[in-house]
Amino acid sequence: MKEVNIPSGRVLKAPENFLTQDGIRTVFEEGKHGRRDFIRSAFAAAAAGAAVPAAMAQGNPVPAEGGDPNILNLPEHAMTLGQGVVSDGGYGSPSKYEKGVQRRQSPGLTQTTQASVSFAPLQSLFGIVTPSGLHFERHHQGWYDIDPSKHRLMVNGMVKRQMVFTMDEIMRLPSVSRFHFIECGANTAVDWGNVAVPTVQYTHGMLSCSEFTGVPLITLLELAGADLKNGKFILAEGGDGSAMTRTIPMELITSGEVLVAYGQNGEMLRPQNGYPLRLVVPGVQGVSWVKYLRRIEVGDKPYAAKDEAVHYIDLMPDGQHRQYTSVQECKSVVTTPSGGQVLLDKGFYNITGLAWSGKGKIKRVDVSVDGGRNWRQARLEGQPLSKALTRFNIDWVWDGKPAIIQSRAQDETGFVQPNYRQLRGVRGTRSIYHNNAIQSWLVQENGEVKNVQLS
């Protein structure tokens, strides 16, 4: 077999931050008046200004001839004494060269930071686990650092005995650890009507995946003698200032999947993620994963709380609202190459991304580089887990011509991720939540990658 020498391509990272705080305020003011074009132009201008410094910071090419000084010369770190153990304060930090990999605040979603969003940098992550410090945030009244010795969880309603648990009592119970994704119902919301933001961090970054540790909620309900026959729902209440409350169907709880969690990625929850106690409801939109969990009430009807009767509902084409559509359906996104990145060479690239489904395991992911005309099956990393992220990869040789890269996921129920035409045929264009349409990235001849939509 003849050996073919295909050069390996290089990817220039996307600018890590597109807008200053002043820019975010301006975008918000313009966005209130429906001027979405301004949002796109503001991002484009900021990206252009950031491209040169990003290229300079990443460039250290190997010389064409004469040898590479980074190999020929012994580096300083090979000739000196390094830093001491625990010299960083006792809790590890990323390399200074990775300081730009951060959560980024939503550009103009809300007027206050206490009721806002930060997006996870999906374009800079590997595998399926999101580091706790990069986990996306969604707060309705800000975050808190609660004294665990004073935190309590009450179980009441249709139970034989009302109970109040301390953190010590909960953590003494048999625990489980599971990997699950959490996605805000409004993830990808800005692209419902048209392209609005440039990078995968802003289009899909209200998504994270962690190993959560806690006690199955059914264990606590059984201890309280809950009426599991007539009790069809529970109300989960958070301890934040917005009094976040959500209805959860009992069948999710009796399955054993729903956790009262205190651990995340091998340590206690971070305050921004609900410390010391939160609900984990696999496959269901993030607003139901109630943080700072303080009460569980068992009832026989949905509670129609404010954040499920007025907010987090789907506006349908006929003007009606659809309620209690909490399951996050099958979805995927290519993270490299993706918006804001630049392909510097023709040649071989590894197309990679993430797929997930609130209905179970990912069965298959197909990738297209010609806007959906032809598809190839991607490789799935590892064994797909139920209601967790799945990493996929596929080989691609870029010939320097324009290309439109897409991914299309299928889950174990047979559900196939729709394109925008199919989704809008059912949901219209005025929705906010549950946008699981196929994402398109245009690779231009100059290598720049942009967010586009195909009709």
PDB file of all heavy atoms in Angstrom, residues 154-164 221 224-228 230-235 250 295-301 303:
ATOM      1  N   MET A 154     -35.883  19.971  54.335  1.00  0.00           N
ATOM      2  CA  MET A 154     -37.160  19.488  54.865  1.00  0.00           C
ATOM      3  C   MET A 154     -37.858  18.634  53.810  1.00  0.00           C
ATOM      4  O   MET A 154     -37.836  18.947  52.621  1.00  0.00           O
ATOM      5  CB  MET A 154     -38.064  20.673  55.242  1.00  0.00           C
ATOM      6  CG  MET A 154     -39.467  20.254  55.698  1.00  0.00           C
ATOM      7  SD  MET A 154     -40.584  21.672  55.912  1.00  0.00           S
ATOM      8  CE  MET A 154     -39.839  22.449  57.343  1.00  0.00           C
ATOM      9  N   VAL A 155     -38.494  17.549  54.250  1.00  0.00           N
ATOM     10  CA  VAL A 155     -39.347  16.721  53.400  1.00  0.00           C
ATOM     11  C   VAL A 155     -40.736  16.735  54.023  1.00  0.00           C
ATOM     12  O   VAL A 155     -40.912  16.322  55.190  1.00  0.00           O
ATOM     13  CB  VAL A 155     -38.818  15.280  53.280  1.00  0.00           C
ATOM     14  CG1 VAL A 155     -39.762  14.438  52.431  1.00  0.00           C
ATOM     15  CG2 VAL A 155     -37.415  15.272  52.683  1.00  0.00           C
ATOM     16  N   ASN A 156     -41.743  17.218  53.278  1.00  0.00           N
ATOM     17  CA  ASN A 156     -43.099  17.303  53.822  1.00  0.00           C
ATOM     18  C   ASN A 156     -44.124  17.016  52.730  1.00  0.00           C
ATOM     19  O   ASN A 156     -43.785  16.516  51.675  1.00  0.00           O
ATOM     20  CB  ASN A 156     -43.345  18.669  54.480  1.00  0.00           C
ATOM     21  CG  ASN A 156     -43.342  19.816  53.479  1.00  0.00           C
ATOM     22  OD1 ASN A 156     -42.975  19.647  52.315  1.00  0.00           O
ATOM     23  ND2 ASN A 156     -43.742  20.988  53.927  1.00  0.00           N
ATOM     24  N   GLY A 157     -45.388  17.328  53.004  1.00  0.00           N
ATOM     25  CA  GLY A 157     -46.467  17.053  52.056  1.00  0.00           C
ATOM     26  C   GLY A 157     -47.094  15.701  52.322  1.00  0.00           C
ATOM     27  O   GLY A 157     -47.393  15.363  53.478  1.00  0.00           O
ATOM     28  N   MET A 158     -47.269  14.909  51.276  1.00  0.00           N
ATOM     29  CA  MET A 158     -47.945  13.613  51.390  1.00  0.00           C
ATOM     30  C   MET A 158     -46.951  12.552  51.900  1.00  0.00           C
ATOM     31  O   MET A 158     -46.517  11.654  51.182  1.00  0.00           O
ATOM     32  CB  MET A 158     -48.551  13.215  50.049  1.00  0.00           C
ATOM     33  CG  MET A 158     -49.637  14.195  49.574  1.00  0.00           C
ATOM     34  SD  MET A 158     -50.222  13.864  47.887  1.00  0.00           S
ATOM     35  CE  MET A 158     -51.002  12.256  48.086  1.00  0.00           C
ATOM     36  N   VAL A 159     -46.578  12.718  53.171  1.00  0.00           N
ATOM     37  CA  VAL A 159     -45.645  11.796  53.822  1.00  0.00           C
ATOM     38  C   VAL A 159     -46.213  11.397  55.178  1.00  0.00           C
ATOM     39  O   VAL A 159     -47.033  12.116  55.762  1.00  0.00           O
ATOM     40  CB  VAL A 159     -44.251  12.448  53.997  1.00  0.00           C
ATOM     41  CG1 VAL A 159     -43.637  12.782  52.643  1.00  0.00           C
ATOM     42  CG2 VAL A 159     -44.328  13.701  54.869  1.00  0.00           C
ATOM     43  N   LYS A 160     -45.777  10.263  55.705  1.00  0.00           N
ATOM     44  CA  LYS A 160     -46.237   9.816  57.022  1.00  0.00           C
ATOM     45  C   LYS A 160     -45.632  10.660  58.134  1.00  0.00           C
ATOM     46  O   LYS A 160     -46.259  10.886  59.168  1.00  0.00           O
ATOM     47  CB  LYS A 160     -45.883   8.342  57.224  1.00  0.00           C
ATOM     48  CG  LYS A 160     -46.697   7.391  56.358  1.00  0.00           C
ATOM     49  CD  LYS A 160     -46.314   5.939  56.623  1.00  0.00           C
ATOM     50  CE  LYS A 160     -47.142   4.996  55.758  1.00  0.00           C
ATOM     51  NZ  LYS A 160     -46.750   3.569  55.969  1.00  0.00           N
ATOM     52  N   ARG A 161     -44.407  11.097  57.922  1.00  0.00           N
ATOM     53  CA  ARG A 161     -43.739  11.902  58.949  1.00  0.00           C
ATOM     54  C   ARG A 161     -42.894  12.969  58.264  1.00  0.00           C
ATOM     55  O   ARG A 161     -42.059  12.650  57.408  1.00  0.00           O
ATOM     56  CB  ARG A 161     -42.872  11.022  59.860  1.00  0.00           C
ATOM     57  CG  ARG A 161     -41.980  10.083  59.114  1.00  0.00           C
ATOM     58  CD  ARG A 161     -41.375   8.989  60.007  1.00  0.00           C
ATOM     59  NE  ARG A 161     -40.775   7.954  59.171  1.00  0.00           N
ATOM     60  CZ  ARG A 161     -41.431   6.912  58.671  1.00  0.00           C
ATOM     61  NH1 ARG A 161     -42.728   6.759  58.957  1.00  0.00           N
ATOM     62  NH2 ARG A 161     -40.829   6.018  57.923  1.00  0.00           N
ATOM     63  N   GLN A 162     -43.123  14.194  58.597  1.00  0.00           N
ATOM     64  CA  GLN A 162     -42.279  15.257  58.078  1.00  0.00           C
ATOM     65  C   GLN A 162     -40.891  15.135  58.704  1.00  0.00           C
ATOM     66  O   GLN A 162     -40.768  14.849  59.895  1.00  0.00           O
ATOM     67  CB  GLN A 162     -42.891  16.621  58.397  1.00  0.00           C
ATOM     68  CG  GLN A 162     -44.270  16.831  57.777  1.00  0.00           C
ATOM     69  CD  GLN A 162     -44.778  18.242  57.968  1.00  0.00           C
ATOM     70  OE1 GLN A 162     -44.048  19.198  57.744  1.00  0.00           O
ATOM     71  NE2 GLN A 162     -46.031  18.371  58.391  1.00  0.00           N
ATOM     72  N   MET A 163     -39.884  15.354  57.886  1.00  0.00           N
ATOM     73  CA  MET A 163     -38.522  15.179  58.374  1.00  0.00           C
ATOM     74  C   MET A 163     -37.660  16.361  57.972  1.00  0.00           C
ATOM     75  O   MET A 163     -37.903  17.001  56.935  1.00  0.00           O
ATOM     76  CB  MET A 163     -37.904  13.886  57.815  1.00  0.00           C
ATOM     77  CG  MET A 163     -38.627  12.611  58.235  1.00  0.00           C
ATOM     78  SD  MET A 163     -37.751  11.097  57.739  1.00  0.00           S
ATOM     79  CE  MET A 163     -36.333  11.145  58.842  1.00  0.00           C
ATOM     80  N   VAL A 164     -36.663  16.650  58.799  1.00  0.00           N
ATOM     81  CA  VAL A 164     -35.666  17.676  58.496  1.00  0.00           C
ATOM     82  C   VAL A 164     -34.293  17.018  58.607  1.00  0.00           C
ATOM     83  O   VAL A 164     -33.971  16.423  59.644  1.00  0.00           O
ATOM     84  CB  VAL A 164     -35.776  18.874  59.460  1.00  0.00           C
ATOM     85  CG1 VAL A 164     -34.640  19.849  59.203  1.00  0.00           C
ATOM     86  CG2 VAL A 164     -37.130  19.570  59.294  1.00  0.00           C
ATOM     87  N   LEU A 221     -37.349  10.073  50.485  1.00  0.00           N
ATOM     88  CA  LEU A 221     -38.817   9.974  50.493  1.00  0.00           C
ATOM     89  C   LEU A 221     -39.270   8.708  51.218  1.00  0.00           C
ATOM     90  O   LEU A 221     -40.268   8.724  51.958  1.00  0.00           O
ATOM     91  CB  LEU A 221     -39.350   9.985  49.068  1.00  0.00           C
ATOM     92  CG  LEU A 221     -39.141  11.269  48.247  1.00  0.00           C
ATOM     93  CD1 LEU A 221     -39.907  11.200  46.942  1.00  0.00           C
ATOM     94  CD2 LEU A 221     -39.554  12.513  49.038  1.00  0.00           C
ATOM     95  N   ALA A 224     -39.161   9.147  54.889  1.00  0.00           N
ATOM     96  CA  ALA A 224     -40.275   9.971  55.384  1.00  0.00           C
ATOM     97  C   ALA A 224     -41.625   9.290  55.194  1.00  0.00           C
ATOM     98  O   ALA A 224     -42.657   9.851  55.590  1.00  0.00           O
ATOM     99  CB  ALA A 224     -40.273  11.321  54.664  1.00  0.00           C
ATOM    100  N   GLY A 225     -41.626   8.100  54.595  1.00  0.00           N
ATOM    101  CA  GLY A 225     -42.896   7.399  54.373  1.00  0.00           C
ATOM    102  C   GLY A 225     -43.773   8.093  53.351  1.00  0.00           C
ATOM    103  O   GLY A 225     -44.994   8.213  53.543  1.00  0.00           O
ATOM    104  N   ALA A 226     -43.192   8.522  52.248  1.00  0.00           N
ATOM    105  CA  ALA A 226     -43.955   9.240  51.218  1.00  0.00           C
ATOM    106  C   ALA A 226     -44.996   8.324  50.586  1.00  0.00           C
ATOM    107  O   ALA A 226     -44.774   7.119  50.412  1.00  0.00           O
ATOM    108  CB  ALA A 226     -43.008   9.774  50.156  1.00  0.00           C
ATOM    109  N   ASP A 227     -46.138   8.888  50.236  1.00  0.00           N
ATOM    110  CA  ASP A 227     -47.212   8.171  49.544  1.00  0.00           C
ATOM    111  C   ASP A 227     -46.837   8.112  48.065  1.00  0.00           C
ATOM    112  O   ASP A 227     -47.142   9.022  47.285  1.00  0.00           O
ATOM    113  CB  ASP A 227     -48.537   8.902  49.740  1.00  0.00           C
ATOM    114  CG  ASP A 227     -49.716   8.153  49.125  1.00  0.00           C
ATOM    115  OD1 ASP A 227     -49.480   7.204  48.347  1.00  0.00           O
ATOM    116  OD2 ASP A 227     -50.860   8.534  49.411  1.00  0.00           O
ATOM    117  N   LEU A 228     -46.156   7.036  47.677  1.00  0.00           N
ATOM    118  CA  LEU A 228     -45.652   6.922  46.301  1.00  0.00           C
ATOM    119  C   LEU A 228     -46.734   6.481  45.316  1.00  0.00           C
ATOM    120  O   LEU A 228     -46.500   6.511  44.109  1.00  0.00           O
ATOM    121  CB  LEU A 228     -44.480   5.949  46.262  1.00  0.00           C
ATOM    122  CG  LEU A 228     -43.270   6.321  47.134  1.00  0.00           C
ATOM    123  CD1 LEU A 228     -42.184   5.262  47.018  1.00  0.00           C
ATOM    124  CD2 LEU A 228     -42.736   7.691  46.753  1.00  0.00           C
ATOM    125  N   ASN A 230     -50.200   7.753  45.492  1.00  0.00           N
ATOM    126  CA  ASN A 230     -51.030   8.927  45.190  1.00  0.00           C
ATOM    127  C   ASN A 230     -50.207  10.192  44.995  1.00  0.00           C
ATOM    128  O   ASN A 230     -50.700  11.158  44.421  1.00  0.00           O
ATOM    129  CB  ASN A 230     -52.040   9.139  46.323  1.00  0.00           C
ATOM    130  CG  ASN A 230     -53.001   7.973  46.455  1.00  0.00           C
ATOM    131  OD1 ASN A 230     -53.642   7.585  45.486  1.00  0.00           O
ATOM    132  ND2 ASN A 230     -53.078   7.386  47.650  1.00  0.00           N
ATOM    133  N   GLY A 231     -48.987  10.200  45.488  1.00  0.00           N
ATOM    134  CA  GLY A 231     -48.115  11.348  45.282  1.00  0.00           C
ATOM    135  C   GLY A 231     -47.494  11.282  43.897  1.00  0.00           C
ATOM    136  O   GLY A 231     -46.559  10.507  43.662  1.00  0.00           O
ATOM    137  N   LYS A 232     -47.979  12.062  42.986  1.00  0.00           N
ATOM    138  CA  LYS A 232     -47.561  11.994  41.579  1.00  0.00           C
ATOM    139  C   LYS A 232     -46.420  12.956  41.250  1.00  0.00           C
ATOM    140  O   LYS A 232     -45.778  12.816  40.210  1.00  0.00           O
ATOM    141  CB  LYS A 232     -48.746  12.311  40.663  1.00  0.00           C
ATOM    142  CG  LYS A 232     -49.963  11.423  40.887  1.00  0.00           C
ATOM    143  CD  LYS A 232     -49.676   9.963  40.568  1.00  0.00           C
ATOM    144  CE  LYS A 232     -50.936   9.119  40.694  1.00  0.00           C
ATOM    145  NZ  LYS A 232     -50.664   7.679  40.458  1.00  0.00           N
ATOM    146  N   PHE A 233     -46.187  13.933  42.108  1.00  0.00           N
ATOM    147  CA  PHE A 233     -45.182  14.959  41.832  1.00  0.00           C
ATOM    148  C   PHE A 233     -44.492  15.358  43.130  1.00  0.00           C
ATOM    149  O   PHE A 233     -45.015  15.140  44.229  1.00  0.00           O
ATOM    150  CB  PHE A 233     -45.821  16.205  41.205  1.00  0.00           C
ATOM    151  CG  PHE A 233     -46.561  15.941  39.928  1.00  0.00           C
ATOM    152  CD1 PHE A 233     -47.913  15.617  39.942  1.00  0.00           C
ATOM    153  CD2 PHE A 233     -45.907  16.003  38.704  1.00  0.00           C
ATOM    154  CE1 PHE A 233     -48.604  15.363  38.766  1.00  0.00           C
ATOM    155  CE2 PHE A 233     -46.585  15.750  37.529  1.00  0.00           C
ATOM    156  CZ  PHE A 233     -47.931  15.430  37.563  1.00  0.00           C
ATOM    157  N   ILE A 234     -43.323  15.977  42.980  1.00  0.00           N
ATOM    158  CA  ILE A 234     -42.718  16.650  44.125  1.00  0.00           C
ATOM    159  C   ILE A 234     -42.441  18.099  43.720  1.00  0.00           C
ATOM    160  O   ILE A 234     -42.294  18.420  42.538  1.00  0.00           O
ATOM    161  CB  ILE A 234     -41.414  15.964  44.611  1.00  0.00           C
ATOM    162  CG1 ILE A 234     -40.307  16.036  43.546  1.00  0.00           C
ATOM    163  CG2 ILE A 234     -41.691  14.536  45.030  1.00  0.00           C
ATOM    164  CD1 ILE A 234     -39.213  16.994  43.823  1.00  0.00           C
ATOM    165  N   LEU A 235     -42.405  18.955  44.717  1.00  0.00           N
ATOM    166  CA  LEU A 235     -41.994  20.340  44.525  1.00  0.00           C
ATOM    167  C   LEU A 235     -40.630  20.502  45.168  1.00  0.00           C
ATOM    168  O   LEU A 235     -40.465  20.227  46.365  1.00  0.00           O
ATOM    169  CB  LEU A 235     -42.990  21.305  45.164  1.00  0.00           C
ATOM    170  CG  LEU A 235     -42.649  22.797  44.988  1.00  0.00           C
ATOM    171  CD1 LEU A 235     -42.929  23.241  43.564  1.00  0.00           C
ATOM    172  CD2 LEU A 235     -43.435  23.657  45.971  1.00  0.00           C
ATOM    173  N   MET A 250     -43.065  12.194  39.671  1.00  0.00           N
ATOM    174  CA  MET A 250     -42.623  11.158  40.595  1.00  0.00           C
ATOM    175  C   MET A 250     -41.941  10.001  39.887  1.00  0.00           C
ATOM    176  O   MET A 250     -41.050   9.353  40.449  1.00  0.00           O
ATOM    177  CB  MET A 250     -43.815  10.645  41.414  1.00  0.00           C
ATOM    178  CG  MET A 250     -43.435   9.679  42.517  1.00  0.00           C
ATOM    179  SD  MET A 250     -42.352  10.430  43.763  1.00  0.00           S
ATOM    180  CE  MET A 250     -43.568  11.344  44.734  1.00  0.00           C
ATOM    181  N   ARG A 295     -36.114  22.300  50.528  1.00  0.00           N
ATOM    182  CA  ARG A 295     -37.393  21.633  50.837  1.00  0.00           C
ATOM    183  C   ARG A 295     -37.856  20.780  49.666  1.00  0.00           C
ATOM    184  O   ARG A 295     -37.706  21.171  48.504  1.00  0.00           O
ATOM    185  CB  ARG A 295     -38.463  22.675  51.176  1.00  0.00           C
ATOM    186  CG  ARG A 295     -39.785  22.069  51.687  1.00  0.00           C
ATOM    187  CD  ARG A 295     -40.710  23.150  52.235  1.00  0.00           C
ATOM    188  NE  ARG A 295     -41.224  24.004  51.181  1.00  0.00           N
ATOM    189  CZ  ARG A 295     -42.383  23.799  50.546  1.00  0.00           C
ATOM    190  NH1 ARG A 295     -43.144  22.753  50.871  1.00  0.00           N
ATOM    191  NH2 ARG A 295     -42.796  24.638  49.622  1.00  0.00           N
ATOM    192  N   ILE A 296     -38.428  19.614  50.017  1.00  0.00           N
ATOM    193  CA  ILE A 296     -39.086  18.729  49.059  1.00  0.00           C
ATOM    194  C   ILE A 296     -40.498  18.471  49.564  1.00  0.00           C
ATOM    195  O   ILE A 296     -40.682  18.005  50.695  1.00  0.00           O
ATOM    196  CB  ILE A 296     -38.343  17.384  48.924  1.00  0.00           C
ATOM    197  CG1 ILE A 296     -36.928  17.580  48.381  1.00  0.00           C
ATOM    198  CG2 ILE A 296     -39.136  16.414  48.050  1.00  0.00           C
ATOM    199  CD1 ILE A 296     -36.862  18.019  46.942  1.00  0.00           C
ATOM    200  N   GLU A 297     -41.478  18.801  48.758  1.00  0.00           N
ATOM    201  CA  GLU A 297     -42.880  18.556  49.125  1.00  0.00           C
ATOM    202  C   GLU A 297     -43.493  17.568  48.152  1.00  0.00           C
ATOM    203  O   GLU A 297     -43.353  17.709  46.939  1.00  0.00           O
ATOM    204  CB  GLU A 297     -43.677  19.866  49.100  1.00  0.00           C
ATOM    205  CG  GLU A 297     -45.145  19.691  49.472  1.00  0.00           C
ATOM    206  CD  GLU A 297     -45.917  21.008  49.435  1.00  0.00           C
ATOM    207  OE1 GLU A 297     -45.352  22.050  49.851  1.00  0.00           O
ATOM    208  OE2 GLU A 297     -47.077  21.006  48.980  1.00  0.00           O
ATOM    209  N   VAL A 298     -44.172  16.550  48.684  1.00  0.00           N
ATOM    210  CA  VAL A 298     -44.834  15.542  47.857  1.00  0.00           C
ATOM    211  C   VAL A 298     -46.293  15.956  47.668  1.00  0.00           C
ATOM    212  O   VAL A 298     -46.989  16.280  48.629  1.00  0.00           O
ATOM    213  CB  VAL A 298     -44.755  14.152  48.527  1.00  0.00           C
ATOM    214  CG1 VAL A 298     -45.467  13.111  47.659  1.00  0.00           C
ATOM    215  CG2 VAL A 298     -43.304  13.758  48.752  1.00  0.00           C
ATOM    216  N   GLY A 299     -46.763  15.951  46.410  1.00  0.00           N
ATOM    217  CA  GLY A 299     -48.138  16.335  46.110  1.00  0.00           C
ATOM    218  C   GLY A 299     -48.737  15.478  45.014  1.00  0.00           C
ATOM    219  O   GLY A 299     -48.069  14.620  44.433  1.00  0.00           O
ATOM    220  N   ASP A 300     -50.017  15.723  44.719  1.00  0.00           N
ATOM    221  CA  ASP A 300     -50.712  14.897  43.722  1.00  0.00           C
ATOM    222  C   ASP A 300     -50.987  15.640  42.418  1.00  0.00           C
ATOM    223  O   ASP A 300     -51.618  15.090  41.517  1.00  0.00           O
ATOM    224  CB  ASP A 300     -52.019  14.350  44.296  1.00  0.00           C
ATOM    225  CG  ASP A 300     -52.969  15.454  44.772  1.00  0.00           C
ATOM    226  OD1 ASP A 300     -52.595  16.648  44.665  1.00  0.00           O
ATOM    227  OD2 ASP A 300     -54.071  15.132  45.243  1.00  0.00           O
ATOM    228  N   LYS A 301     -50.530  16.900  42.305  1.00  0.00           N
ATOM    229  CA  LYS A 301     -50.755  17.684  41.085  1.00  0.00           C
ATOM    230  C   LYS A 301     -49.507  18.519  40.793  1.00  0.00           C
ATOM    231  O   LYS A 301     -48.743  18.850  41.715  1.00  0.00           O
ATOM    232  CB  LYS A 301     -51.957  18.616  41.241  1.00  0.00           C
ATOM    233  CG  LYS A 301     -53.307  17.925  41.354  1.00  0.00           C
ATOM    234  CD  LYS A 301     -54.430  18.966  41.451  1.00  0.00           C
ATOM    235  CE  LYS A 301     -55.806  18.298  41.496  1.00  0.00           C
ATOM    236  NZ  LYS A 301     -55.969  17.469  42.708  1.00  0.00           N
ATOM    237  N   TYR A 303     -47.431  21.837  40.400  1.00  0.00           N
ATOM    238  CA  TYR A 303     -47.562  22.996  41.272  1.00  0.00           C
ATOM    239  C   TYR A 303     -47.715  24.314  40.511  1.00  0.00           C
ATOM    240  O   TYR A 303     -48.108  25.322  41.105  1.00  0.00           O
ATOM    241  CB  TYR A 303     -46.355  23.076  42.208  1.00  0.00           C
ATOM    242  CG  TYR A 303     -46.414  22.057  43.327  1.00  0.00           C
ATOM    243  CD1 TYR A 303     -45.992  20.751  43.109  1.00  0.00           C
ATOM    244  CD2 TYR A 303     -46.901  22.393  44.575  1.00  0.00           C
ATOM    245  CE1 TYR A 303     -46.048  19.813  44.134  1.00  0.00           C
ATOM    246  CE2 TYR A 303     -46.959  21.460  45.607  1.00  0.00           C
ATOM    247  CZ  TYR A 303     -46.534  20.166  45.376  1.00  0.00           C
ATOM    248  OH  TYR A 303     -46.591  19.233  46.382  1.00  0.00           O
TER     249      TYR A 303
END
